[in-house]
Amino acid sequence: MPNLIEIEYEQTGASASTNELGMREMQARAYDARSHQYLLLKSPPASGKSRAMMYLALDKLENQGLKKVVIAVPEQSIGASFRNTALAKHGFWKNWTLDVDLCLPQGNQAKVKAFEDFMGDPMAKVLVCTHSTFRFAVEKLGVDAFEDTLIGIDEFHHVSTEGENVLGDCLDRIMSQTNAHVVAMTGSYFRGDNIAILSAENEAKFEDVIYNYYEQLNGYHYLKSLGIGYHFYQGRFIDALGEVLDVTKKTIIHIPSVNAREAYSDKYTMLGDILDLIGTNAKTDDETGIITMTTVDGKQIRIADLVTDDDDKRAQVKKFLADVEHEHEVDIIIALGMAKEGFDWKYCEHSLTIGYRGSLTEVVQIIGRCTRDSPNKIHAQFTNLVAEPRADSEEVADAVNDMLKAITCSLLMEQVMAPVFKFKPKIDPNEPGKKGNTIAIKGLKDPSTEAVRKIVDTKLRELKAAILSSPDIQKAIVNQADAAVVNKQLIPKIIMETFPDLTQKEVSEVTDHVLADTLFSHGKQTQEGDKRFISFAKQFINIDELHIDMIYKINPFQHAYEVLSKSLDKEVLAAVQGVLATQKAKITEEEINANWHLVEAFEEANGCLPNYKSKDEFEARLGLMVEKARQIFLAANQKEDLELTP
């Protein structure tokens, strides 16, 4: 199927250019906020967050009275981003020197001892370690040891307030009990599990520095467009993989874990089948571990295997990939649980992911692998290969829920990757509805409090993630819920749950901006003469005449349903609608047994079974019993033909 999302960029070069201090656009923005004690940098992969941390850390050591810098990263390989860097030759006033590197193979006890020695050495200034080592060190030394220290947390979304998340507890205690500074960095401030990152009190202390995906990608020299697409299949993924895999494109293939719905065998069998699909005459280089194969058209393909459990072979391949400097050195990487967060292969053109990914953060990281700027590509592509069930399968609801989650995730990614719009009330009737990226809307409420302003300015993407990941919203998409139900009940309810301290008035103001943002992020804008229009959910709206009441009458997720209905055959869509309907109505086997004679009587009188979609309440209830009986029969017998469908 064609891409669900296609975004074009202007190749301005702004995000890749540097100022007189050698800083790129995002780094300069972060440096301007250096006086804040708590900073949260939200920016995409490859935007230069690691170097931004260096600039901030050096200023805090030199000019803000701090004595130590401790940087914690999620895994050892990412620690390499913070090794010695010659900043002065690009215009900065000092080079970056790493005194202690604990992102090396070593036992935990030895690392904690080295950490303790570093904290006691007045001459040592900068240390990098993993999140794990940092946690152990805090437990051993106590939080008081981190007075006058900058704590840098890379990939901040790994932190949470959940009871077993020790890193979140460590950070909360350090912020509450010491004068330590904190710089947190993330490409996606969303965990995917709806657990808060920090306590509300400490989270409110952070000054956000946001550099969005559109700014990053629009400012590249080479990349001109990004496509996000989904390909649905039945059977085994290997039989559909050839439809989406173009071996002439530099590609990372992320295969599913053996426990995933899409896995049809063990990982080595799936890896072997993918290699057979790519080519023949496989030969492995003893020095690099790279596999060379010949495609059907005679082309030599170089493949990196990051699926193997062999530690030595995996380390060999990872080392080779870390040193890749030329486009021709690798063509395809096949990975399981790797080549995502912090992985850098700038030549990648296509991230091909097999199986639904439940975490928005993971999807962001995977897409980030193919969106680095490189002379070899003008287009980057993310494709998700997702299993589609048969209509007569008892797993139809779970499988379609996965598909729906993938689609709603892509809608959020469209907002992440597209331009950011600002909305304001339209006071002057002669004022144009759109000027640049500012949209004036009649009846829109301006943020009346600082809490609303901060949500609108810095947390709208995270809020949209919470909305789109809500099971209630996903069910509403499948069942084509009325716009009033979605906009006046479901969305405000999620806003209240996400920000429980908001008043009803504040919730209403945030809802206005969520709906306006959705309309302009997913709608298509056109211009005829001096009039500007936006089309959305089969409606064509004059932007100059746009009123907030009009937006409330539009189902903001109609596009998701249209994609789903085009992707699935009618039988599968009907089956999942039936499952969701019976779940909502709470039909039991006892009710079915007690009332089945009524179903039979209805069929005899009307010549057909009752339909649960009927407007007649009595028929609809009988229809729900029929639908539930069909599901029970399928679960028990797994037969292909069942004559109970209305």
Side-chain angles (χ1 to χ4, degrees):
M1 62 179 293
N3 281 330
L4 175 60
I5 296 166
E6 187 85 29
I7 303 171
E8 294 193 355
Y9 301 102
E10 297 178 2
Q11 299 171 305
T12 67
S15 62
S17 302
T18 58
N19 65 11
E20 66 280 1
L21 293 176
M23 298 177 186
R24 290 161 57 186
E25 192 173 37
M26 185 282 290
Q27 295 158 354
R29 190 175 298 176
Y31 194 66
D32 286 344
R34 61 190 180 277
S35 62
H36 291 274
Q37 184 174 1
Y38 305 111
L39 277 176
L40 173 59
L41 310 186
K42 301 181 190 178
S43 67
S47 59
K49 290 191 291 293
S50 301
R51 191 161 292 194
M53 177 76 82
M54 297 177 191
Y55 293 128
L56 292 167
L58 288 171
D59 186 82
K60 287 181 180 293
L61 286 172
E62 190 78 16
N63 301 318
Q64 299 184 40
L66 298 190
K67 297 180 174 62
K68 300 281 184 182
V69 173
V70 172
I71 298 173
V73 299
E75 60 180 66
Q76 290 183 1
S77 61
I78 299 177
S81 301
F82 296 96
R83 289 174 186 158
N84 294 352
T85 304
L87 301 178
K89 72 177 184 180
H90 300 291
F92 198 60
W93 43 265
K94 192 169 185 177
N95 287 324
W96 172 258
T97 303
L98 178 62
D99 297 307
V100 178
D101 183 0
L102 297 183
C103 288
L104 300 169
Q106 203 175 5
N108 280 329
Q109 288 186 344
K111 288 183 178 181
V112 172
K113 178 63 169 63
F115 196 116
E116 185 175 14
D117 292 343
F118 163 79
M119 296 301 287
D121 182 355
M123 301 303 294
K125 300 297 182 184
V126 181
L127 174 147
V128 65
C129 64
T130 63
H131 289 176
S132 176
T133 299
F134 177 69
R135 296 195 310 265
F136 286 126
V138 173
E139 290 174 5
K140 173 75 182 298
L141 303 177
V143 297
D144 290 343
F146 294 90
E147 287 283 336
D148 301 323
T149 299
L150 169 64
I151 310 296
I153 305 292
D154 195 17
E155 307 298 357
F156 192 47
H157 51 269
H158 285 264
V159 178
S160 89
T161 56
E162 197 268 335
E164 296 180 0
N165 190 291
V166 182
L167 182 56
D169 177 66
C170 290
L171 206 54
D172 259 331
R173 288 189 289 128
I174 287 172
M175 290 180 65
S176 300
Q177 301 173 32
T178 77
N179 68 351
H181 289 214
V182 178
V183 174
M185 307 189 300
T186 182
S188 174
Y189 191 55
F190 176 71
R191 289 179 50 83
D193 53 14
N194 292 326
I195 298 173
I197 300 284
L198 291 174
S199 68
E201 180 183 357
N202 280 331
E203 188 174 322
K205 296 177 181 177
F206 279 90
E207 176 72 14
D208 290 356
V209 176
I210 300 174
Y211 190 73
N212 63 56
Y213 265 87
Y214 186 79
E215 289 179 291
Q216 170 78 355
L217 301 183
N218 201 55
Y220 278 161
H221 290 298
Y222 307 105
L223 189 66
K224 187 169 180 60
S225 61
L226 168 67
I228 298 177
Y230 291 84
H231 189 86
F232 302 113
Y233 69 92
Q234 291 187 344
R236 304 186 313 162
F237 77 73
I238 192 65
D239 299 321
L241 185 60
E243 299 173 22
V244 292
L245 175 60
D246 181 351
V247 296
T248 68
K249 303 293 184 184
K250 304 291 184 182
T251 302
I252 300 177
I253 303 173
H254 289 102
I255 71 170
S257 73
V258 293
N259 297 320
R261 186 191 312 278
E262 289 81 3
Y264 59 84
S265 186
D266 64 87
K267 63 182 183 179
Y268 291 113
T269 298
M270 293 188 288
L271 171 64
D273 290 345
I274 294 172
L275 292 175
D276 289 342
L277 179 68
I278 292 171
T280 57
N281 302 322
K283 297 178 182 177
T284 302
D285 187 291
D286 292 336
E287 292 185 8
T288 65
I290 296 297
I291 302 168
T292 302
M293 303 189 75
T294 305
T295 64
V296 290
D297 59 1
K299 181 183 177 182
Q300 294 292 298
I301 295 285
R302 292 170 62 80
I303 303 164
D305 168 16
L306 290 178
V307 176
T308 180
D309 277 333
D310 187 309
D311 290 340
D312 292 337
K313 289 182 179 179
R314 187 169 60 242
Q316 181 187 41
V317 173
K318 287 175 66 177
K319 182 180 184 305
F320 174 79
L321 292 175
D323 296 334
V324 165
E325 294 182 351
H326 302 288
E327 179 185 345
H328 69 270
E329 293 181 83
V330 182
D331 298 295
I332 295 174
I333 297 173
I334 306 174
L336 174 59
M338 300 182 69
K340 291 183 288 190
E341 191 170 77
F343 183 79
D344 187 7
W345 181 37
K346 69 177 183 179
Y347 303 110
C348 178
E349 300 169 82
H350 189 188
S351 290
L352 202 172
T353 300
I354 301 166
Y356 161 68
R357 295 300 194 261
S359 164
L360 173 65
T361 295
E362 184 176 4
V363 175
V364 170
Q365 294 290 352
I366 289 172
I367 292 177
R369 299 318 101 199
C370 67
T371 55
R372 282 164 162 74
D373 206 25
S374 175
N376 71 302
K377 62 186 176 188
I378 60 171
H379 179 78
Q381 178 68 37
F382 168 74
T383 303
N384 198 179
L385 196 58
V386 183
E388 175 187 336
R390 300 194 320 269
D392 57 7
S393 166
E394 66 170 316
E395 297 181 343
V396 65
D398 289 339
V400 175
N401 280 340
D402 283 355
M403 297 171 66
L404 184 59
K405 289 173 184 176
I407 290 170
T408 53
C409 178
S410 72
L411 296 180
L412 184 62
M413 290 310 303
E414 181 175 25
Q415 293 200 327
V416 170
M417 303 290 180
V420 173
F421 294 98
K422 298 290 185 182
F423 302 96
K424 68 173 188 175
K426 186 172 184 178
I427 309 299
D428 181 356
N430 297 317
E431 177 186 11
K434 182 176 186 293
K435 187 175 182 180
N437 280 355
T438 299
I439 312 296
I441 301 175
K442 298 176 184 177
L444 179 73
K445 303 179 208 51
D446 232 349
S448 61
T449 66
E450 180 62 20
V452 175
R453 186 203 63 76
K454 187 166 186 179
I455 292 170
V456 169
D457 288 349
T458 67
K459 299 185 181 297
L460 214 53
R461 295 295 177 263
E462 291 80 6
L463 177 57
K464 291 295 292 291
I467 291 170
L468 282 166
S469 61
S470 164
D472 289 339
I473 290 293
Q474 291 166 358
K475 290 176 183 177
I477 291 172
V478 174
N479 292 321
Q480 288 186 286
D482 185 76
V485 173
V486 175
N487 297 337
K488 295 184 178 181
Q489 296 179 27
L490 298 181
I491 289 178
K493 176 175 176 284
I494 296 167
I495 293 171
M496 285 188 285
E497 291 171 349
T498 307
F499 302 104
D501 294 332
L502 294 183
T503 65
Q504 286 290 342
K505 180 184 178 183
E506 289 173 323
V507 169
S508 177
E509 292 171 3
V510 173
T511 303
D512 284 0
H513 283 266
V514 166
L515 296 177
D517 189 64
T518 300
L519 175 66
F520 279 86
S521 293
H522 301 314
K524 184 177 181 181
Q525 297 183 49
T526 58
Q527 186 162 349
E528 294 183 9
D530 60 350
K531 293 185 178 180
R532 290 168 290 274
F533 298 88
I534 185 164
S535 58
F536 186 88
K538 299 180 181 179
Q539 298 191 50
F540 204 54
I541 304 167
N542 185 337
I543 295 176
D544 291 335
E545 300 298 323
L546 185 60
H547 193 286
I548 192 66
D549 291 345
M550 296 169 63
I551 297 177
Y552 269 85
K553 294 177 181 178
I554 299 171
N555 185 333
F557 307 117
Q558 179 64 28
H559 181 46
Y561 176 81
E562 291 170 357
V563 170
L564 192 67
S565 61
K566 290 177 183 177
S567 304
L568 302 175
D569 59 42
K570 290 188 295 185
E571 289 77 13
V572 172
L573 189 57
V576 73
Q577 287 174 332
V579 170
L580 294 175
T582 56
Q583 288 175 348
K584 183 178 180 180
K586 299 180 180 178
I587 301 293
T588 64
E589 289 190 51
E590 290 76 17
E591 182 181 359
I592 294 171
N593 292 332
N595 294 286
W596 196 254
H597 67 284
L598 297 175
V599 172
E600 293 172 336
F602 183 97
E603 183 179 21
E604 184 175 348
N606 296 278
C608 63
L609 287 166
N611 190 329
Y612 72 86
K613 295 182 179 180
S614 172
K615 293 182 179 179
D616 180 84
E617 291 185 11
F618 179 70
E619 179 186 353
R621 191 69 187 182
L622 293 180
L624 287 168
M625 296 179 202
V626 172
E627 177 59 31
K628 184 66 176 180
R630 185 188 73 85
Q631 297 164 21
I632 294 171
F633 185 90
L634 285 174
N637 298 280
Q638 282 294 286
K639 291 185 178 180
E640 294 188 358
D641 295 315
L642 184 62
E643 300 300 328
L644 288 174
T645 303

